[in-house]
């Protein structure tokens, strides 16, 4: 017990001394770890938002709203609905009145009350919301319904085949760019941590020489430097976790009114996972960086 | 009455046909064989670059021999695994010409440092440090820092640090190299005292006066080879003694 306590006390005491003796380099490495983890956390949150949008759009994609001209009698609309329901490619059809369309529009979280008030009379058309069995038949149905005289011409439907493809491409590009950025920054932070540990080793080289001379084990010599790397990783991670943890909700609230048609998501469960992941990655960076830094020296 | 055969005691330090060649091709030692029994006191003499320090470094396995075999306290050093090396070093006390004290630690902390980093029982740290400081005559200087001490006192601290593990072997590489003659004699008296307590002492030195007066075993090295191994010898071979 005494032995373990001695080892912990010595490792933490020396690491703390190293950190402050070497303050400029230590703080630089904390900053770089912080930058890496902040980028990682932000990227994961953005990718998560894109994933949500993608799921939503995919769900929407199997449905199409056919907008009806304002003068369409209800009986014609019902006939049209029955005609569509008889189509083997269609799984469900529902009629949405102009009033229901306005309520839906008002419920969109991204719209400000001013915008809704500015609409005056209800400009939204009634529609038939058609859900298809196979997403690939959407294009044909879209083409078919456009020929009906009941259908509004501006626009006839909300069919937009490009949206999903664009989101997929955006998510892929964001993912690849993010991974490249994070791998680059992670490599840089490993290098900086190694440099910090090397500087600490250089400053304590006489002490290390004496330790080895009097019979300290390699691990006893290593621990203070590993702990120092760990401190750098954890400090960088904690600052990044605080910023992402506290800043994500306000950032989402700030951005949402400015990005009206992009639904941003606040997912507290995923945020927790991301924060835990950032902390773990900070620990990993610190430990691996310091281990690499100390390994070569002790081999000599 | 039949004579009882007594097996000769294994030497504490044994070198057999040891050679050391550095990667750049410099031959530091060649065909060195030496046996040092327990409790012996040996002066290792020779000109600068003769190979004395290399020999000392081989004994603490700071360097590995290129050929031959070295045994220290029964352990074959060439076969010793790296992870066992610290335990070998705890059996050997070592002092140097430049003392190798840590300037930011007090006398007490410098000596205690050796116990802390080798994970000795901390409850014994204070009494043990006090005991070795009293052996080297530094009672009352526990709280001084190295730069507040004379050269002789600093070497005493280094000796105290080397003694804190009760080593079986004491290696001194030019311990009086930076000291004036009077202080050098005090350090030698201390080494004799350590030897009298049962510790084997091997001292590499240039100090001709001390070697000549002490008349102990002298091993002379020149050009990486042992050129003389003499009990109760002097610094120079008898036929080379200046008249």
């Amino acid at each position: 017990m005494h032995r373990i306590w001695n080892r912990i006390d010595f490792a933490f005491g020396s690491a703390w001394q190293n950190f402050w003796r070497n303050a400029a380099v230590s703080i630089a490495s904390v900053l770089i770890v912080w930058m890496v983890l902040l980028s990682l956390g932000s990227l994961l949150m953005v990718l998560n938002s894109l994933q949500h949008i993608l799921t939503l759009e995919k769900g929407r994609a199997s449905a199409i709203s056919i907008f009806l001209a304002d003068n369409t009698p209800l009986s014609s609309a019902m006939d049209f609905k029955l005609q569509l329901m008889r189509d083997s490619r269609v799984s469900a059809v529902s009629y949405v009145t102009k009033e229901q369309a306005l309520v839906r529009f008002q419920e969109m979280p991204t719209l400000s009350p001013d915008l809704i008030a500015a609409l005056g009379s209800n400009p939204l058309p009634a529609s038939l919301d058609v859900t298809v069995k196979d997403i690939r038949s959407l294009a044909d149905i879209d083409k078919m319904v456009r020929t009906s005289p009941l259908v509004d011409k501006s626009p006839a439907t909300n069919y937009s085949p490009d949206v999903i493809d664009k989101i997929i491409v955006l998510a892929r590009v964001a993912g690849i760019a993010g991974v490249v950025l994070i791998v680059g920054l992670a490599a840089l932070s490993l290098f900086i941590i190694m440099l910090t540990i090397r500087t600490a080793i250089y400053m304590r080289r006489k002490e290390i020489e004496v330790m080895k001379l009097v019979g300290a084990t390699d691990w006893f010599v290593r621990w203070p430097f590993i702990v120092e790397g760990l401190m750098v990783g954890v400090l960088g991670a904690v600052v990044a976790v605080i910023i992402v943890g506290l800043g994500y909700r306000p950032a989402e609230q700030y951005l949402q009114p400015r990005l009206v048609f992009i639904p941003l998501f606040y997912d507290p469960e995923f945020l927790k996972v991301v924060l835990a992941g950032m902390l773990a990655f900070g620990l990993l960076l610190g430990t691996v960086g310091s281990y690499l830094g100390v390994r070569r020296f002790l081999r000599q | 009455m039949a004579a009882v055969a007594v097996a000769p005691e294994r030497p504490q330090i044994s070198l057999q046909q040891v050679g050391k060649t550095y990667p750049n091709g410099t031959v530091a030692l060649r065909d060195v064989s030496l046996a040092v029994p327990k409790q012996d006191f040996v002066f290792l003499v020779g000109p600068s670059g003769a190979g004395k320090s290399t020999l000392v470094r081989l004994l603490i396995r700071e360097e590995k021999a290129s050929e031959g075999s070295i045994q220290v306290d029964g352990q074959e050093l060439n076969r010793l695994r790296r992870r066992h090396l610290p335990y070998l070093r705890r059996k050997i006390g070592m002092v140097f010409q430049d003392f190798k004290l840590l300037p930011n630690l007090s006398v007490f902390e410098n000596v205690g440092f050796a116990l802390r980093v080798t994970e000795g029982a901390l409850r014994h740290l204070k009494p043990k440090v006090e005991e070795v400081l009293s052996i080297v005559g530094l009672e009352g200087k526990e709280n001084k820092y190295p730069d507040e001490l004379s050269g002789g006192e600093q070497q005493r601290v280094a000796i105290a640090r080397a003694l804190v593990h009760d080593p079986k072997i004491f290696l001194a590489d030019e311990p009086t190299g930076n000291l004036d003659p009077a202080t050098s004699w005090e350090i030698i008296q201390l080494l004799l005292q350590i030897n009298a307590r049962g510790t084997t002492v091997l001292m590499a030195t240039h100090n001709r006066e001390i070697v000549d007066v002490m008349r102990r075993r002298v091993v002379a090295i020149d050009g990486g080879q042992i050129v003389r191994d003499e009990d109760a010898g002097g610094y120079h071979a008898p036929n080379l003694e200046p008249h």
Side-chain angles (χ1 to χ4, degrees), chain A residues 6-7 209 215 218 298, chain B residues 82 90 96 100 116 119:
Chain A
N6 177 43
R7 192 178 278 205
E209 185 189 356
D218 283 352
L298 279 177
Chain B
R82 194 188 152 85
R90 291 177 200 180
F96 300 88
K100 296 196 192 296
R116 275 204 81 185
E119 304 177 81

Side-chain angles (χ1 to χ4, degrees), chain B residues 23-230:
Chain B
N24 65 3
T26 308
V27 179
L29 291 175
R30 74 182 87 203
D31 200 23
V32 169
S33 294
L34 176 69
V36 179
K38 276 181 189 163
Q39 298 177 30
D40 207 355
F41 191 117
V42 181
F43 284 117
L44 200 59
V45 302
S48 293
K52 305 189 296 293
S53 293
T54 301
L55 183 57
V56 170
R57 280 203 293 274
L58 290 181
L59 292 177
I60 55 168
R61 244 290 292 272
E62 208 174 306
E63 307 265 5
K64 255 183 157 178
S66 313
E67 56 211 41
S69 140
I70 303 176
Q71 289 200 353
V72 173
D73 198 43
Q75 280 178 294
E76 170 59 54
L77 298 197
N78 271 0
R79 273 193 247 129
L80 189 69
R81 286 176 183 272
R82 194 188 152 85
R83 67 172 186 273
H84 295 139
L85 189 54
Y87 306 98
L88 168 84
R89 295 212 175 139
R90 291 177 200 180
K91 294 181 190 172
I92 304 173
M94 180 89 206
V95 291
F96 300 88
Q97 185 172 356
D98 61 355
F99 320 134
K100 296 196 192 296
L101 297 178
L102 300 174
N104 55 329
L105 300 186
S106 67
V107 166
F108 187 93
E109 289 165 338
N110 259 291
V111 178
F113 184 77
L115 273 184
R116 275 204 81 185
V117 303
T118 50
E119 304 177 81
L122 291 185
R123 62 181 178 278
H124 297 145
L125 189 139
K126 194 165 185 279
K128 188 68 201 175
V129 173
E130 283 170 353
E131 181 197 328
V132 289
L133 284 177
S134 99
I135 291 172
V136 300
L138 283 178
E139 305 102 320
K141 305 236 169 172
E142 293 88 347
N143 297 323
K144 298 261 183 202
Y145 283 82
D147 61 4
E148 299 172 318
L149 302 175
S150 68
E153 286 172 327
Q154 290 188 47
Q155 192 59 290
R156 284 167 186 267
V157 179
I159 291 172
R161 184 180 62 194
L163 286 180
V164 83
H165 287 123
D166 296 320
K168 295 181 174 178
I169 298 164
F170 199 95
L171 300 178
D173 192 2
E174 302 283 2
T176 59
N178 282 339
L179 305 177
D180 60 66
T183 314
S184 298
W185 275 110
E186 287 172 16
I187 296 300
I188 292 301
Q189 292 306 319
L190 204 49
L191 294 184
L192 283 174
Q193 204 184 317
I194 291 165
N195 180 234
R197 290 158 59 97
T199 308
T200 309
V201 177
L202 188 98
M203 171 174 161
T205 184
H206 269 120
N207 196 319
R208 183 189 154 181
E209 189 195 341
I210 286 174
V211 178
D212 285 344
V213 171
M214 296 295 298
R215 290 288 153 188
R216 293 286 181 137
R217 181 177 171 191
V218 173
V219 173
I221 299 189
D222 199 358
Q225 287 181 299
I226 292 184
V227 292
R228 180 165 55 100
D229 185 349
E230 186 183 6

